[in-house]
Amino acid sequence: MRVGIPKEIKNHEYRVGLTPPSVAELVSAGHEVFVETKAGNGIDFDDADYQAAGATILPDARSTFAAADMIVKVKEPQAGEIAMLEPRHLLFTYLHLAADRPQAEGLMASGATCIAYETVTAAKGGLPLLKPMSEVAGRMSVQVGAHYLEKEQGGRGVLLGGVPGVAPAKVAILGGGISGVNAAQMAVGMRADVTIYDISNDRLAELDMFFSSQIKTAYASRAAIAAAVKSASLVIGAVLIPGAAAPKLVTREMVRTMKRGSVLVDIAIDQGGCFETSHPTTHENPVFEVDGVIHYCVANMPGAVARTSAFALNNATLPFVLKLANLGAERAMEQDAHLANGLNVANGRITHPAVQEALGLN
């Protein structure tokens, strides 16, 4: 198969769909790989590194799309990239269509077959291609939250871990999944006062056993969330319903009760966000303020630590890329029901039930 790797063009997105070691695996399996020039520069790989792995370097995105049968990316295709897709193309990347109707309509019109990383499942449960970036985003959420709590950033002037004689800051984490657990690990490491909220009592029990006395757990009722938001200095939204839009757990009225200079970090922003006051931001302009509360809602958080993120993502995606290249999309999905769960668009239609429901499409 002919595999194309375009340069990512989303704001401050430096990751790349395939690293040179991944390219070498494809080439050794008999496939051709075409890489847009400078696609890997953001993670310190130049064109020579890709050529050494066996790739052909092409001068721009248009020639890369034209040469390839399968396009492997990181972020959802932007409008100009969607315009280059054809019915013969297989697109393999993050899509997050539930919160992006224009993209969904563009992909349907293209006729391309589109498999989304975020809805591919695993035999033991979970979302294996979302997991590595959820880990990164969870860990980053505490890092950026602590930064924006600093007074010069507009925050309360609070140190998460406090110091002897001064209490640590309260951190509320909404959602006990991969992102939430990784956020909690970082917050605990910084000696914050951490509580995780979830609607699964079984999950809360697991978290209690995992963290022991390092954190507190609470059932995520509306009243509990309202109380948490009011008292916390940092609230991290880490909820996920696979393929669907994120539920709005924190209302505008709840935000009004927060202390001035508190921080909200919305990891769920790719799926529409779990705070009513959220809207997507970029690494160039990452925050905005509502009622004196700082909102960090960057839709590609892991792009800030691009090299770590690219390698972590490639570790997870490469086996699926090889399967698709070796067998073709149809045979690969026939043989692997978990890969088939990643199918979001085919033959001009939305195929994933949760995305259909979120967009109101059949």
Side-chain angles (χ1 to χ4, degrees), residues 69-223:
D69 304 309
M70 175 165 62
I71 302 293
V72 180
K73 281 177 42 62
V74 178
K75 290 306 293 177
E76 69 279 359
Q78 305 301 291
E81 294 174 310
I82 292 174
M84 290 185 278
L85 287 171
E86 302 173 24
R88 66 184 179 84
H89 278 131
L90 167 62
L91 175 66
F92 194 37
T93 188
Y94 287 116
L95 292 176
H96 298 292
L97 294 178
D100 193 346
R101 191 182 187 94
Q103 185 202 169
E105 291 175 343
L107 293 179
M108 286 190 288
S110 76
T113 300
C114 307
I115 300 176
Y117 293 161
E118 72 272 10
T119 61
V120 173
T121 55
K124 294 182 179 180
L127 304 169
L129 306 190
L130 190 61
K131 181 181 178 182
M133 297 303 94
S134 295
E135 292 169 338
V136 171
R139 295 183 180 211
M140 277 192 66
S141 68
V142 176
Q143 182 174 304
V144 299
H147 176 63
Y148 284 103
L149 279 172
E150 296 172 7
K151 194 66 179 177
E152 66 273 21
Q153 302 302 322
R156 297 191 68 211
V158 171
L159 182 66
L160 276 188
V163 291
V166 181
K170 290 186 177 181
V171 177
I173 300 172
L174 309 183
I178 299 298
S179 292
V181 167
N182 278 268
Q185 288 176 322
M186 294 299 102
V188 165
M190 297 176 76
R191 300 190 176 188
D193 180 352
V194 182
T195 304
I196 301 179
Y197 297 80
D198 203 282
I199 58 172
S200 167
N201 286 311
D202 289 341
R203 184 56 175 164
L204 292 175
E206 292 171 355
L207 294 169
D208 184 71
M209 290 289 291
F210 181 78
F211 284 102
S212 187
S213 59
Q214 293 180 305
I215 66 161
K216 297 183 282 291
T217 60
Y219 186 81
S221 66
R222 182 182 173 88

Side-chain angles (χ1 to χ4, degrees):
M1 184 176 283
R2 294 156 67 90
V3 181
I5 314 300
K7 189 180 190 308
E8 297 292 326
I9 58 175
K10 190 163 185 171
N11 179 271
H12 285 272
E13 181 54 72
Y14 305 107
R15 290 173 290 179
V16 64
L18 292 176
T19 61
S22 295
V23 168
E25 293 291 329
L26 280 164
V27 171
S28 68
H31 305 292
E32 293 182 86
V33 181
F34 301 90
V35 179
E36 182 182 353
T37 185
K38 300 181 180 179
N41 282 14
I43 59 169
D44 295 327
F45 286 120
D46 58 27
D47 290 350
D49 294 314
Y50 280 99
Q51 288 173 318
T56 299
I57 304 300
L58 294 177
D60 52 34
R62 184 165 297 280
S63 57
T64 304
F65 276 71
D69 304 309
M70 175 165 62
I71 302 293
V72 180
K73 281 177 42 62
V74 178
K75 290 306 293 177
E76 69 279 359
Q78 305 301 291
E81 294 174 310
I82 292 174
M84 290 185 278
L85 287 171
E86 302 173 24
R88 66 184 179 84
H89 278 131
L90 167 62
L91 175 66
F92 194 37
T93 188
Y94 287 116
L95 292 176
H96 298 292
L97 294 178
D100 193 346
R101 191 182 187 94
Q103 185 202 169
E105 291 175 343
L107 293 179
M108 286 190 288
S110 76
T113 300
C114 307
I115 300 176
Y117 293 161
E118 72 272 10
T119 61
V120 173
T121 55
K124 294 182 179 180
L127 304 169
L129 306 190
L130 190 61
K131 181 181 178 182
M133 297 303 94
S134 295
E135 292 169 338
V136 171
R139 295 183 180 211
M140 277 192 66
S141 68
V142 176
Q143 182 174 304
V144 299
H147 176 63
Y148 284 103
L149 279 172
E150 296 172 7
K151 194 66 179 177
E152 66 273 21
Q153 302 302 322
R156 297 191 68 211
V158 171
L159 182 66
L160 276 188
V163 291
V166 181
K170 290 186 177 181
V171 177
I173 300 172
L174 309 183
I178 299 298
S179 292
V181 167
N182 278 268
Q185 288 176 322
M186 294 299 102
V188 165
M190 297 176 76
R191 300 190 176 188
D193 180 352
V194 182
T195 304
I196 301 179
Y197 297 80
D198 203 282
I199 58 172
S200 167
N201 286 311
D202 289 341
R203 184 56 175 164
L204 292 175
E206 292 171 355
L207 294 169
D208 184 71
M209 290 289 291
F210 181 78
F211 284 102
S212 187
S213 59
Q214 293 180 305
I215 66 161
K216 297 183 282 291
T217 60
Y219 186 81
S221 66
R222 182 182 173 88
I225 291 172
V229 167
K230 185 175 181 179
S231 64
S233 292
L234 172 60
V235 180
I236 297 169
V239 296
L240 174 69
I241 301 174
K248 304 297 183 187
L249 300 183
V250 176
T251 66
R252 177 69 181 264
E253 289 71 26
M254 293 179 190
V255 172
R256 289 193 182 104
T257 70
M258 296 181 71
K259 299 179 182 68
R260 181 167 293 276
S262 298
V263 177
L264 296 175
V265 178
D266 199 341
I267 298 174
I269 195 64
D270 273 333
Q271 296 293 108
C274 61
F275 307 138
E276 192 174 53
T277 45
S278 290
H279 64 73
T281 61
T282 66
H283 289 294
E284 189 172 42
N285 294 293
V287 297
F288 60 92
E289 191 176 303
V290 177
D291 294 328
V293 176
I294 297 171
H295 291 58
Y296 180 97
C297 304
V298 175
N300 58 328
M301 286 178 66
V305 287
R307 188 173 176 88
T308 296
S309 297
F311 276 101
L313 182 60
N314 270 235
N315 289 344
T317 59
L318 180 59
F320 293 96
V321 172
L322 283 167
K323 183 175 289 187
L324 288 165
N326 290 338
L327 300 176
E330 188 171 343
R331 283 185 60 205
M333 287 188 285
E334 285 176 352
Q335 293 185 15
D336 187 341
H338 297 289
L339 179 59
N341 287 334
L343 186 66
N344 277 218
V345 183
N347 301 317
R349 295 184 297 116
I350 298 293
T351 58
H352 194 283
V355 178
Q356 291 174 347
E357 183 177 352
L359 295 177
L361 298 170
N362 293 324

